[in-house]
Amino acid sequence: MNDDPGALLGDDGPLARLVPGFAPRTQQQEFARAVGTALEEGGTLVCEAGTGTGKTFAYLVPALLSGRKVVISTGTRHLQDQLFHRDLPVVRAALDVPVRVALLKGRANYLCRYRMMQSHAAGRFRSRAQAAQFVAINDWAGRTVSGDIAELTGIPEDASAWPLVTSTADNCLGQECPDYRDCFLVRARRQAQSVDLLVVNHHLLFADMALRDSGFGELLPAAEAWIVDEAHQVPEIAGRFFGDTLTARQLLGLAHDSVAAQLAEAPDSAALRDLAGTLEKQVADLRLALGRGEGRVAWSRVFDAPEPVQALATLQHALAELQAALEAEADRGKGLENCARRAADCLALLERLADSEDAEGAVRWVQCLARGFALNRTPLDIAAPLQQQMERYPGAWVFTSATLAVGDSFRHYTGRLGLDAAATARWDSPFDFARQALLYVPRGLPEPRDAGYTAALCAAALPLVEACGGRSFLLFTSHRALREAEALLREQLAFPLLVQGEAPRAELLDRFRELGNAVLLGTSSFWEGVDVRGEALSCVVIDKLPFASLDDPVLQARLDALRAAGGNPFVDEQVPQAVIALKQGVGRLIRDVGDRGVLMLGDPRLFSK
Protein backbone atom coordinates (compact mmCIF):
# COMPACT_ATOMS: atom_id res chain seq x y z
CA MET A 1 0.00 0.00 0.00
CA ASN A 2 1.14 3.57 -0.73
CA ASP A 3 2.64 5.09 2.42
CA ASP A 4 1.76 8.64 1.28
CA PRO A 5 -1.39 9.50 3.28
CA GLY A 6 -2.22 12.28 0.83
CA ALA A 7 -2.23 9.89 -2.13
CA LEU A 8 -4.51 7.49 -0.24
CA LEU A 9 -7.06 10.32 -0.11
CA GLY A 10 -6.74 10.99 -3.85
CA ASP A 11 -8.75 10.03 -6.95
CA ASP A 12 -7.23 6.55 -7.10
CA GLY A 13 -7.10 5.94 -3.36
CA PRO A 14 -9.07 3.35 -1.39
CA LEU A 15 -11.37 5.97 0.17
CA ALA A 16 -12.51 7.12 -3.28
CA ARG A 17 -13.34 3.53 -4.19
CA LEU A 18 -15.13 2.66 -0.95
CA VAL A 19 -16.98 5.82 0.18
CA PRO A 20 -19.99 6.89 -1.95
CA GLY A 21 -19.69 10.52 -3.03
CA PHE A 22 -16.10 10.85 -1.79
CA ALA A 23 -14.51 13.95 -3.36
CA PRO A 24 -10.70 14.30 -3.21
CA ARG A 25 -9.62 17.66 -1.78
CA THR A 26 -6.17 19.17 -2.02
CA GLN A 27 -6.51 20.65 1.47
CA GLN A 28 -7.36 17.26 2.95
CA GLN A 29 -4.39 15.60 1.25
CA GLU A 30 -1.96 18.29 2.44
CA PHE A 31 -3.39 18.08 5.96
CA ALA A 32 -2.92 14.28 5.99
CA ARG A 33 0.71 14.64 4.88
CA ALA A 34 1.40 17.24 7.60
CA VAL A 35 -0.06 14.97 10.28
CA GLY A 36 1.93 12.03 8.90
CA THR A 37 5.14 14.04 9.13
CA ALA A 38 4.34 15.12 12.70
CA LEU A 39 3.68 11.53 13.77
CA GLU A 40 6.89 10.36 12.11
CA GLU A 41 9.19 13.10 13.42
CA GLY A 42 7.56 13.93 16.76
CA GLY A 43 7.14 17.47 18.00
CA THR A 44 3.99 19.56 18.00
CA LEU A 45 1.75 20.65 15.12
CA VAL A 46 -1.03 23.24 15.47
CA CYS A 47 -3.24 23.39 12.40
CA GLU A 48 -6.54 24.81 11.22
CA ALA A 49 -8.59 23.09 8.52
CA GLY A 50 -11.62 25.02 7.32
CA THR A 51 -15.13 23.58 7.21
CA GLY A 52 -15.41 20.82 4.61
CA THR A 53 -11.74 19.89 4.56
CA GLY A 54 -12.54 16.45 5.95
CA LYS A 55 -10.06 16.65 8.77
CA THR A 56 -11.29 13.47 10.49
CA PHE A 57 -10.29 11.27 7.54
CA ALA A 58 -7.15 13.39 7.10
CA TYR A 59 -5.76 12.51 10.54
CA LEU A 60 -7.20 8.99 10.74
CA VAL A 61 -5.32 7.82 7.63
CA PRO A 62 -1.81 8.71 8.90
CA ALA A 63 -2.73 7.63 12.45
CA LEU A 64 -3.77 4.15 11.29
CA LEU A 65 -0.68 3.81 9.09
CA SER A 66 1.84 5.17 11.60
CA GLY A 67 2.54 1.91 13.42
CA ARG A 68 2.45 3.92 16.64
CA LYS A 69 0.09 3.85 19.60
CA VAL A 70 -2.15 6.87 19.05
CA VAL A 71 -4.70 8.53 21.33
CA ILE A 72 -7.29 10.73 19.58
CA SER A 73 -9.24 13.17 21.75
CA THR A 74 -12.47 14.85 20.61
CA GLY A 75 -14.51 17.67 22.09
CA THR A 76 -17.63 15.84 23.24
CA ARG A 77 -18.98 12.35 23.88
CA HIS A 78 -21.28 12.76 20.87
CA LEU A 79 -18.35 13.51 18.55
CA GLN A 80 -16.42 10.67 20.19
CA ASP A 81 -19.20 8.21 19.33
CA GLN A 82 -19.45 9.59 15.80
CA LEU A 83 -15.71 9.24 15.24
CA PHE A 84 -15.51 5.72 16.65
CA HIS A 85 -18.71 4.20 15.28
CA ARG A 86 -18.99 5.99 11.93
CA ASP A 87 -15.69 7.40 10.62
CA LEU A 88 -13.08 5.05 12.04
CA PRO A 89 -14.63 1.80 10.70
CA VAL A 90 -14.81 3.29 7.19
CA VAL A 91 -11.17 4.38 7.09
CA ARG A 92 -9.90 1.19 8.72
CA ALA A 93 -11.82 -0.94 6.19
CA ALA A 94 -10.57 1.16 3.26
CA LEU A 95 -6.93 0.87 4.36
CA ASP A 96 -7.36 -2.79 5.32
CA VAL A 97 -4.94 -2.50 8.24
CA PRO A 98 -5.01 -4.80 11.31
CA VAL A 99 -5.09 -1.92 13.80
CA ARG A 100 -6.79 -2.63 17.12
CA VAL A 101 -9.06 0.20 18.24
CA ALA A 102 -11.08 1.06 21.34
CA LEU A 103 -13.37 3.73 22.74
CA LEU A 104 -12.91 4.97 26.31
CA LYS A 105 -15.13 7.45 28.12
CA GLY A 106 -15.17 8.94 31.57
CA ARG A 107 -16.31 6.92 34.55
CA ALA A 108 -19.78 8.49 34.67
CA ASN A 109 -20.58 7.09 31.21
CA TYR A 110 -20.59 3.47 32.40
CA LEU A 111 -23.19 1.62 34.41
CA CYS A 112 -22.03 0.73 37.94
CA ARG A 113 -23.64 -2.51 39.08
CA TYR A 114 -22.79 -1.89 42.74
CA ARG A 115 -24.37 1.58 42.87
CA MET A 116 -27.42 0.32 41.00
CA MET A 117 -27.82 -2.42 43.62
CA GLN A 118 -27.35 0.13 46.43
CA SER A 119 -29.92 2.51 44.96
CA HIS A 120 -32.38 -0.34 44.52
CA ALA A 121 -31.92 -1.37 48.15
CA ALA A 122 -32.25 2.18 49.46
CA GLY A 123 -35.36 2.83 47.34
CA ARG A 124 -34.97 6.60 47.73
CA PHE A 125 -36.31 8.10 44.49
CA ARG A 126 -37.15 11.79 44.30
CA SER A 127 -40.03 11.39 41.86
CA ARG A 128 -42.08 8.89 39.90
CA ALA A 129 -40.16 9.92 36.78
CA GLN A 130 -36.85 9.06 38.43
CA ALA A 131 -38.23 5.70 39.61
CA ALA A 132 -39.46 4.93 36.07
CA GLN A 133 -36.03 5.81 34.66
CA PHE A 134 -34.42 3.49 37.18
CA VAL A 135 -36.71 0.61 36.12
CA ALA A 136 -35.74 1.15 32.45
CA ILE A 137 -32.03 1.24 33.34
CA ASN A 138 -32.37 -1.91 35.44
CA ASP A 139 -33.99 -3.71 32.51
CA TRP A 140 -31.23 -2.56 30.10
CA ALA A 141 -28.52 -3.61 32.59
CA GLY A 142 -29.34 -7.25 31.94
CA ARG A 143 -28.75 -6.87 28.19
CA THR A 144 -25.82 -4.52 27.77
CA VAL A 145 -22.35 -5.79 26.93
CA SER A 146 -20.39 -2.53 27.19
CA GLY A 147 -22.34 -0.78 29.97
CA ASP A 148 -22.02 2.49 27.98
CA ILE A 149 -25.07 4.53 28.98
CA ALA A 150 -25.21 6.09 25.48
CA GLU A 151 -26.79 2.79 24.36
CA LEU A 152 -29.98 3.59 26.27
CA THR A 153 -31.32 6.36 24.03
CA GLY A 154 -34.73 6.60 25.69
CA ILE A 155 -33.35 8.35 28.78
CA PRO A 156 -31.85 11.88 28.48
CA GLU A 157 -28.14 12.37 29.27
CA ASP A 158 -29.04 14.69 32.16
CA ALA A 159 -31.70 12.40 33.67
CA SER A 160 -31.66 12.45 37.47
CA ALA A 161 -31.48 8.63 37.62
CA TRP A 162 -28.03 8.36 36.03
CA PRO A 163 -26.05 9.51 39.12
CA LEU A 164 -27.79 6.73 41.07
CA VAL A 165 -26.38 4.01 38.79
CA THR A 166 -23.00 5.43 37.74
CA SER A 167 -19.91 6.15 39.79
CA THR A 168 -17.56 9.09 40.20
CA ALA A 169 -13.93 9.21 41.27
CA ASP A 170 -15.30 10.18 44.70
CA ASN A 171 -17.66 7.27 45.30
CA CYS A 172 -15.98 4.40 43.42
CA LEU A 173 -14.77 1.63 45.74
CA GLY A 174 -12.10 0.50 43.28
CA GLN A 175 -10.70 -2.98 43.92
CA GLU A 176 -12.67 -3.16 47.16
CA CYS A 177 -15.93 -3.20 45.19
CA PRO A 178 -17.73 -6.59 45.29
CA ASP A 179 -18.55 -6.16 41.55
CA TYR A 180 -14.99 -5.21 40.55
CA ARG A 181 -14.47 -8.27 38.34
CA ASP A 182 -17.60 -7.50 36.34
CA CYS A 183 -17.04 -3.72 36.24
CA PHE A 184 -17.78 -2.22 32.82
CA LEU A 185 -15.32 0.65 33.39
CA VAL A 186 -12.49 -1.69 34.40
CA ARG A 187 -13.17 -3.80 31.32
CA ALA A 188 -13.08 -0.71 29.06
CA ARG A 189 -9.83 0.55 30.62
CA ARG A 190 -8.24 -2.87 30.32
CA GLN A 191 -9.12 -2.97 26.63
CA ALA A 192 -7.76 0.56 26.17
CA GLN A 193 -4.34 -0.57 27.41
CA SER A 194 -4.00 -3.20 24.68
CA VAL A 195 -5.10 -1.36 21.52
CA ASP A 196 -3.17 0.59 18.88
CA LEU A 197 -5.60 3.51 18.56
CA LEU A 198 -7.77 4.84 21.37
CA VAL A 199 -10.58 7.41 21.07
CA VAL A 200 -11.23 9.57 24.15
CA ASN A 201 -12.64 13.04 24.81
CA HIS A 202 -11.05 16.19 26.20
CA HIS A 203 -12.61 15.85 29.65
CA LEU A 204 -11.10 12.38 30.05
CA LEU A 205 -7.73 13.52 28.67
CA PHE A 206 -7.42 16.39 31.13
CA ALA A 207 -8.87 14.35 33.99
CA ASP A 208 -6.03 11.92 33.34
CA MET A 209 -3.51 14.78 33.44
CA ALA A 210 -4.94 16.02 36.74
CA LEU A 211 -4.88 12.50 38.18
CA ARG A 212 -1.24 11.95 37.23
CA ASP A 213 -0.37 15.32 38.72
CA SER A 214 -1.95 14.30 42.04
CA GLY A 215 0.08 11.10 42.13
CA PHE A 216 -2.97 8.81 42.12
CA GLY A 217 -2.18 6.78 38.99
CA GLU A 218 -3.55 7.23 35.52
CA LEU A 219 -6.59 6.55 33.34
CA LEU A 220 -5.05 6.44 29.88
CA PRO A 221 -2.34 4.14 28.52
CA ALA A 222 1.08 5.35 27.46
CA ALA A 223 1.01 6.48 23.83
CA GLU A 224 3.46 7.69 21.20
CA ALA A 225 1.18 10.27 19.59
CA TRP A 226 -1.73 12.46 20.66
CA ILE A 227 -4.21 14.03 18.22
CA VAL A 228 -6.48 16.66 19.78
CA ASP A 229 -9.47 17.48 17.56
CA GLU A 230 -11.81 20.42 18.28
CA ALA A 231 -8.72 21.90 19.92
CA HIS A 232 -10.26 25.37 20.25
CA GLN A 233 -11.99 24.00 23.38
CA VAL A 234 -8.71 23.12 25.11
CA PRO A 235 -7.99 26.44 26.92
CA GLU A 236 -11.38 26.42 28.69
CA ILE A 237 -11.35 22.71 29.58
CA ALA A 238 -7.71 22.68 30.66
CA GLY A 239 -8.29 25.64 32.98
CA ARG A 240 -11.14 23.76 34.63
CA PHE A 241 -9.08 20.64 35.31
CA PHE A 242 -5.93 22.47 36.41
CA GLY A 243 -7.97 24.30 39.06
CA ASP A 244 -10.33 23.28 41.88
CA THR A 245 -14.11 22.80 41.82
CA LEU A 246 -16.61 21.75 44.46
CA THR A 247 -20.24 21.39 43.38
CA ALA A 248 -23.59 21.06 45.10
CA ARG A 249 -24.02 17.81 43.21
CA GLN A 250 -20.85 16.38 44.82
CA LEU A 251 -22.07 17.28 48.29
CA LEU A 252 -25.59 15.96 47.72
CA GLY A 253 -24.12 12.77 46.29
CA LEU A 254 -22.02 12.37 49.43
CA ALA A 255 -25.11 12.84 51.62
CA HIS A 256 -27.12 10.32 49.57
CA ASP A 257 -24.35 7.71 49.60
CA SER A 258 -23.74 8.21 53.32
CA VAL A 259 -27.38 7.31 54.03
CA ALA A 260 -27.18 4.27 51.72
CA ALA A 261 -23.98 3.09 53.44
CA GLN A 262 -25.46 3.69 56.89
CA LEU A 263 -28.57 1.65 56.10
CA ALA A 264 -26.49 -1.23 54.74
CA GLU A 265 -23.54 -1.25 57.15
CA ALA A 266 -24.54 0.61 60.33
CA PRO A 267 -28.35 0.46 60.68
CA ASP A 268 -28.14 1.39 64.36
CA SER A 269 -26.39 4.72 63.64
CA ALA A 270 -29.41 6.92 62.96
CA ALA A 271 -27.33 10.00 63.82
CA LEU A 272 -25.40 9.54 60.58
CA ARG A 273 -28.62 9.78 58.60
CA ASP A 274 -29.56 12.96 60.45
CA LEU A 275 -26.17 14.55 59.76
CA ALA A 276 -26.45 13.68 56.06
CA GLY A 277 -29.88 15.32 56.02
CA THR A 278 -28.39 18.42 57.67
CA LEU A 279 -25.75 18.61 54.94
CA GLU A 280 -28.44 18.39 52.26
CA LYS A 281 -30.31 21.26 53.93
CA GLN A 282 -27.19 23.43 54.17
CA VAL A 283 -26.43 22.87 50.49
CA ALA A 284 -29.97 24.07 49.66
CA ASP A 285 -29.61 27.03 52.05
CA LEU A 286 -26.35 28.14 50.41
CA ARG A 287 -28.00 28.00 46.98
CA LEU A 288 -30.82 30.20 48.30
CA ALA A 289 -28.32 32.63 49.82
CA LEU A 290 -26.57 32.98 46.46
CA GLY A 291 -29.72 34.53 44.98
CA ARG A 292 -32.12 33.62 42.20
CA GLY A 293 -29.90 34.44 39.24
CA GLU A 294 -27.87 31.98 37.20
CA GLY A 295 -24.39 32.43 35.74
CA ARG A 296 -20.76 32.96 36.69
CA VAL A 297 -19.97 35.52 39.39
CA ALA A 298 -16.72 36.61 41.04
CA TRP A 299 -16.21 35.14 44.51
CA SER A 300 -15.73 38.62 46.02
CA ARG A 301 -19.09 39.79 44.63
CA VAL A 302 -20.96 36.79 46.06
CA PHE A 303 -19.31 36.60 49.46
CA ASP A 304 -19.40 40.30 50.27
CA ALA A 305 -22.76 39.97 52.04
CA PRO A 306 -23.42 38.43 55.48
CA GLU A 307 -26.03 35.89 54.33
CA PRO A 308 -23.85 33.95 51.81
CA VAL A 309 -20.84 34.13 54.15
CA GLN A 310 -22.90 32.66 57.02
CA ALA A 311 -24.42 30.02 54.74
CA LEU A 312 -20.97 28.92 53.56
CA ALA A 313 -19.67 28.72 57.15
CA THR A 314 -22.74 26.69 58.22
CA LEU A 315 -22.26 24.34 55.26
CA GLN A 316 -18.61 23.88 56.17
CA HIS A 317 -19.59 23.05 59.77
CA ALA A 318 -22.23 20.52 58.63
CA LEU A 319 -19.68 18.86 56.34
CA ALA A 320 -17.13 18.67 59.16
CA GLU A 321 -19.66 17.06 61.52
CA LEU A 322 -20.66 14.46 58.91
CA GLN A 323 -16.99 13.73 58.18
CA ALA A 324 -16.24 13.15 61.87
CA ALA A 325 -19.23 10.84 62.27
CA LEU A 326 -18.32 8.87 59.15
CA GLU A 327 -14.74 8.55 60.34
CA ALA A 328 -15.96 7.07 63.62
CA GLU A 329 -17.98 4.40 61.76
CA ALA A 330 -15.56 3.82 58.85
CA ASP A 331 -14.33 0.43 60.05
CA ARG A 332 -17.87 -1.05 59.80
CA GLY A 333 -17.91 -1.30 56.01
CA LYS A 334 -16.30 -0.25 52.73
CA GLY A 335 -19.19 2.06 51.88
CA LEU A 336 -18.78 4.04 55.10
CA GLU A 337 -14.99 4.06 54.72
CA ASN A 338 -15.34 5.47 51.21
CA CYS A 339 -17.80 8.15 52.32
CA ALA A 340 -15.46 9.16 55.17
CA ARG A 341 -12.61 9.66 52.68
CA ARG A 342 -14.85 11.64 50.34
CA ALA A 343 -16.09 13.87 53.16
CA ALA A 344 -12.50 14.60 54.20
CA ASP A 345 -11.55 15.43 50.59
CA CYS A 346 -14.57 17.74 50.17
CA LEU A 347 -13.81 19.48 53.46
CA ALA A 348 -10.16 20.07 52.50
CA LEU A 349 -11.24 21.37 49.09
CA LEU A 350 -13.81 23.72 50.60
CA GLU A 351 -11.22 25.09 53.02
CA ARG A 352 -8.78 25.62 50.13
CA LEU A 353 -11.41 27.42 48.05
CA ALA A 354 -12.38 29.67 50.94
CA ASP A 355 -8.74 30.65 51.63
CA SER A 356 -8.07 33.93 49.81
CA GLU A 357 -4.31 33.59 50.41
CA ASP A 358 -4.30 30.38 48.33
CA ALA A 359 -5.72 32.19 45.28
CA GLU A 360 -2.55 33.88 44.00
CA GLY A 361 -2.28 33.48 40.22
CA ALA A 362 -5.86 32.23 40.06
CA VAL A 363 -9.40 33.56 40.08
CA ARG A 364 -12.06 32.34 42.51
CA TRP A 365 -15.62 32.37 41.21
CA VAL A 366 -19.06 30.86 41.72
CA GLN A 367 -21.30 29.34 39.09
CA CYS A 368 -24.95 29.55 40.07
CA LEU A 369 -27.14 26.92 38.44
CA ALA A 370 -30.93 26.53 38.52
CA ARG A 371 -30.76 23.94 41.30
CA GLY A 372 -27.16 24.01 42.43
CA PHE A 373 -23.81 25.75 42.39
CA ALA A 374 -20.12 25.21 41.72
CA LEU A 375 -17.35 26.86 43.74
CA ASN A 376 -14.26 27.28 41.55
CA ARG A 377 -10.62 28.28 41.58
CA THR A 378 -9.16 28.60 38.06
CA PRO A 379 -5.51 29.38 37.22
CA LEU A 380 -5.03 32.44 35.00
CA ASP A 381 -2.03 30.88 33.25
CA ILE A 382 -2.58 27.39 31.85
CA ALA A 383 0.51 27.37 29.64
CA ALA A 384 2.92 26.29 32.40
CA PRO A 385 0.80 23.40 33.78
CA LEU A 386 -0.07 22.22 30.26
CA GLN A 387 3.57 22.17 29.20
CA GLN A 388 4.45 20.29 32.37
CA GLN A 389 1.79 17.69 31.59
CA MET A 390 2.81 17.35 27.92
CA GLU A 391 6.34 16.50 29.08
CA ARG A 392 4.82 13.52 30.91
CA TYR A 393 3.20 12.42 27.63
CA PRO A 394 6.26 12.31 25.34
CA GLY A 395 5.63 11.90 21.62
CA ALA A 396 3.96 13.74 18.78
CA TRP A 397 1.15 16.20 19.50
CA VAL A 398 -1.33 17.47 16.90
CA PHE A 399 -3.85 20.20 17.82
CA THR A 400 -6.47 20.79 15.14
CA SER A 401 -9.81 22.52 14.62
CA ALA A 402 -11.72 24.49 12.02
CA THR A 403 -11.19 27.58 14.19
CA LEU A 404 -7.79 28.22 15.77
CA ALA A 405 -6.26 31.08 13.77
CA VAL A 406 -7.12 34.77 13.74
CA GLY A 407 -6.49 35.75 10.14
CA ASP A 408 -3.37 33.79 9.30
CA SER A 409 -1.91 33.99 12.81
CA PHE A 410 -1.96 31.31 15.52
CA ARG A 411 -0.26 33.59 18.04
CA HIS A 412 -3.32 33.98 20.28
CA TYR A 413 -3.89 30.23 20.54
CA THR A 414 -0.28 29.07 20.86
CA GLY A 415 0.43 31.81 23.40
CA ARG A 416 -2.44 30.68 25.64
CA LEU A 417 -1.14 27.10 25.67
CA GLY A 418 2.60 27.76 25.67
CA LEU A 419 3.01 26.17 22.22
CA ASP A 420 5.19 28.93 20.76
CA ALA A 421 7.69 26.44 19.31
CA ALA A 422 5.00 24.40 17.53
CA ALA A 423 4.85 24.06 13.76
CA THR A 424 1.67 25.66 12.37
CA ALA A 425 -0.33 25.20 9.18
CA ARG A 426 -3.66 26.42 7.86
CA TRP A 427 -5.92 25.29 5.01
CA ASP A 428 -8.94 27.23 3.79
CA SER A 429 -12.29 25.55 3.32
CA PRO A 430 -12.74 23.92 -0.10
CA PHE A 431 -16.28 25.31 -0.25
CA ASP A 432 -17.01 28.17 -2.66
CA PHE A 433 -18.65 30.54 -0.20
CA ALA A 434 -18.99 33.34 -2.76
CA ARG A 435 -21.16 31.05 -4.91
CA GLN A 436 -22.86 29.02 -2.16
CA ALA A 437 -23.79 31.70 0.38
CA LEU A 438 -25.02 35.26 0.76
CA LEU A 439 -24.02 37.56 3.62
CA TYR A 440 -26.73 39.95 4.81
CA VAL A 441 -26.13 42.71 7.37
CA PRO A 442 -29.35 44.69 7.91
CA ARG A 443 -28.92 48.45 8.17
CA GLY A 444 -30.62 50.63 10.75
CA LEU A 445 -30.59 48.27 13.75
CA PRO A 446 -30.02 49.93 17.14
CA GLU A 447 -26.85 49.33 19.13
CA PRO A 448 -26.74 45.85 20.76
CA ARG A 449 -26.95 47.37 24.25
CA ASP A 450 -30.27 49.05 23.34
CA ALA A 451 -33.29 47.54 25.17
CA GLY A 452 -35.15 47.13 21.87
CA TYR A 453 -32.31 45.43 20.02
CA THR A 454 -33.59 41.83 20.08
CA ALA A 455 -37.06 42.92 18.95
CA ALA A 456 -35.52 44.90 16.07
CA LEU A 457 -33.32 41.93 15.13
CA CYS A 458 -36.34 39.58 15.02
CA ALA A 459 -38.27 42.07 12.88
CA ALA A 460 -35.34 42.21 10.44
CA ALA A 461 -34.88 38.43 10.41
CA LEU A 462 -38.54 37.48 9.98
CA PRO A 463 -38.85 38.31 6.23
CA LEU A 464 -35.63 36.40 5.58
CA VAL A 465 -36.84 33.34 7.52
CA GLU A 466 -40.17 33.44 5.67
CA ALA A 467 -38.40 33.69 2.30
CA CYS A 468 -36.35 30.60 3.22
CA GLY A 469 -39.49 28.67 4.19
CA GLY A 470 -38.29 28.34 7.78
CA ARG A 471 -35.21 26.08 7.64
CA SER A 472 -33.32 28.51 9.86
CA PHE A 473 -31.06 28.69 12.90
CA LEU A 474 -31.24 31.84 15.04
CA LEU A 475 -28.12 31.85 17.22
CA PHE A 476 -27.91 34.15 20.24
CA THR A 477 -25.05 35.23 22.48
CA SER A 478 -27.19 35.11 25.65
CA HIS A 479 -30.05 33.10 27.12
CA ARG A 480 -31.91 36.33 27.90
CA ALA A 481 -31.97 37.33 24.22
CA LEU A 482 -33.05 33.80 23.25
CA ARG A 483 -36.03 33.90 25.66
CA GLU A 484 -37.08 37.34 24.41
CA ALA A 485 -36.88 36.17 20.79
CA GLU A 486 -38.88 33.06 21.62
CA ALA A 487 -41.70 35.15 23.10
CA LEU A 488 -41.76 37.41 20.05
CA LEU A 489 -41.53 34.71 17.38
CA ARG A 490 -44.08 32.27 18.83
CA GLU A 491 -46.80 34.74 17.92
CA GLN A 492 -45.46 35.63 14.47
CA LEU A 493 -43.87 32.52 12.94
CA ALA A 494 -45.79 30.33 10.54
CA PHE A 495 -43.23 27.52 10.97
CA PRO A 496 -42.49 24.99 13.74
CA LEU A 497 -40.37 26.62 16.46
CA LEU A 498 -37.75 24.56 18.32
CA VAL A 499 -36.00 26.11 21.32
CA GLN A 500 -32.83 25.04 23.11
CA GLY A 501 -33.69 23.47 26.46
CA GLU A 502 -37.02 21.96 25.36
CA ALA A 503 -35.28 18.64 24.65
CA PRO A 504 -31.72 17.24 24.44
CA ARG A 505 -29.67 18.79 21.63
CA ALA A 506 -29.52 15.61 19.53
CA GLU A 507 -33.31 15.22 19.73
CA LEU A 508 -33.88 18.85 18.70
CA LEU A 509 -31.57 18.43 15.70
CA ASP A 510 -33.33 15.22 14.64
CA ARG A 511 -36.69 17.00 14.79
CA PHE A 512 -35.27 19.96 12.87
CA ARG A 513 -34.10 17.66 10.07
CA GLU A 514 -37.35 15.66 9.99
CA LEU A 515 -39.66 18.69 9.91
CA GLY A 516 -37.86 20.29 6.98
CA ASN A 517 -39.28 23.79 7.63
CA ALA A 518 -38.47 24.43 11.29
CA VAL A 519 -36.83 27.41 12.98
CA LEU A 520 -34.41 26.59 15.82
CA LEU A 521 -33.34 29.07 18.49
CA GLY A 522 -30.07 28.30 20.28
CA THR A 523 -27.20 29.78 22.28
CA SER A 524 -23.56 28.71 22.62
CA SER A 525 -24.12 24.93 22.49
CA PHE A 526 -25.54 25.25 18.95
CA TRP A 527 -22.67 27.42 17.68
CA GLU A 528 -20.39 24.40 17.23
CA GLY A 529 -20.46 20.64 16.73
CA VAL A 530 -23.79 20.84 14.87
CA ASP A 531 -23.97 19.39 11.36
CA VAL A 532 -27.16 19.85 9.32
CA ARG A 533 -26.54 19.25 5.63
CA GLY A 534 -28.74 20.02 2.64
CA GLU A 535 -31.83 22.20 2.34
CA ALA A 536 -33.04 21.56 5.91
CA LEU A 537 -30.79 24.47 6.97
CA SER A 538 -30.78 27.37 4.51
CA CYS A 539 -30.47 30.39 6.82
CA VAL A 540 -28.35 31.21 9.87
CA VAL A 541 -29.00 34.40 11.84
CA ILE A 542 -26.41 35.52 14.41
CA ASP A 543 -27.63 38.24 16.74
CA LYS A 544 -24.36 39.86 17.83
CA LEU A 545 -20.63 39.61 17.45
CA PRO A 546 -19.82 37.00 20.14
CA PHE A 547 -17.69 39.05 22.50
CA ALA A 548 -17.53 37.26 25.84
CA SER A 549 -19.39 39.00 28.64
CA LEU A 550 -17.21 41.28 30.74
CA ASP A 551 -19.25 40.06 33.72
CA ASP A 552 -17.49 36.71 33.40
CA PRO A 553 -15.07 36.61 36.36
CA VAL A 554 -12.46 34.40 34.65
CA LEU A 555 -12.31 36.64 31.57
CA GLN A 556 -12.21 39.79 33.68
CA ALA A 557 -9.31 38.44 35.74
CA ARG A 558 -7.46 37.46 32.57
CA LEU A 559 -8.00 40.93 31.08
CA ASP A 560 -6.75 42.57 34.29
CA ALA A 561 -3.63 40.37 34.21
CA LEU A 562 -3.01 41.27 30.55
CA ARG A 563 -3.40 44.96 31.31
CA ALA A 564 -1.01 44.72 34.26
CA ALA A 565 1.56 43.05 31.98
CA GLY A 566 1.35 45.93 29.49
CA GLY A 567 -0.87 44.17 26.96
CA ASN A 568 -4.02 45.36 25.23
CA PRO A 569 -6.93 43.31 26.56
CA PHE A 570 -9.28 44.17 23.69
CA VAL A 571 -6.83 43.41 20.88
CA ASP A 572 -4.93 40.57 22.57
CA GLU A 573 -7.86 38.67 24.11
CA GLN A 574 -11.39 39.88 23.35
CA VAL A 575 -11.13 40.27 19.57
CA PRO A 576 -9.33 36.93 18.96
CA GLN A 577 -11.89 35.08 21.13
CA ALA A 578 -14.77 36.73 19.28
CA VAL A 579 -13.24 35.86 15.90
CA ILE A 580 -12.89 32.18 16.80
CA ALA A 581 -16.43 32.00 18.22
CA LEU A 582 -17.90 33.80 15.18
CA LYS A 583 -16.14 31.39 12.80
CA GLN A 584 -17.77 28.51 14.70
CA GLY A 585 -21.25 30.00 14.36
CA VAL A 586 -20.83 30.92 10.70
CA GLY A 587 -19.60 27.38 10.04
CA ARG A 588 -23.09 25.95 10.73
CA LEU A 589 -24.47 27.22 7.39
CA ILE A 590 -22.48 25.51 4.63
CA ARG A 591 -21.69 21.87 5.48
CA ASP A 592 -21.38 20.31 2.00
CA VAL A 593 -20.44 21.20 -1.56
CA GLY A 594 -24.11 21.31 -2.57
CA ASP A 595 -25.35 23.45 0.33
CA ARG A 596 -26.65 26.97 -0.27
CA GLY A 597 -27.86 29.55 2.20
CA VAL A 598 -28.00 33.03 3.69
CA LEU A 599 -26.01 34.24 6.70
CA MET A 600 -27.43 37.25 8.54
CA LEU A 601 -25.17 39.07 10.98
CA GLY A 602 -27.30 41.49 12.93
CA ASP A 603 -24.64 43.53 14.71
CA PRO A 604 -24.38 47.13 13.38
CA ARG A 605 -20.91 47.42 14.94
CA LEU A 606 -19.61 45.59 11.84
CA PHE A 607 -19.92 49.00 10.14
CA SER A 608 -19.81 51.49 13.01
CA LYS A 609 -16.75 50.10 14.83
Side-chain angles (χ1 to χ4, degrees), residues 78-91:
H78 173 70
L79 291 173
Q80 192 181 0
D81 284 331
Q82 180 177 295
L83 171 62
F84 186 79
H85 294 296
R86 192 187 73 182
D87 300 326
L88 183 54
V90 170
V91 179

Side-chain angles (χ1 to χ4, degrees), residues 528-553:
E528 59 180 273
V530 172
D531 192 4
V532 178
R533 303 185 180 213
E535 293 186 353
L537 179 59
S538 298
C539 175
V540 171
V541 176
I542 293 177
D543 72 331
K544 302 176 187 176
L545 295 173
F547 286 102
S549 171
L550 289 175
D551 291 335
D552 183 275

Side-chain angles (χ1 to χ4, degrees), residues 235-257:
E236 176 74 18
I237 296 173
R240 205 176 307 157
F241 278 95
F242 293 157
D244 292 315
T245 298
L246 180 65
T247 67
R249 183 172 176 174
Q250 283 175 271
L251 295 169
L252 293 174
L254 170 64
H256 176 277
D257 293 345

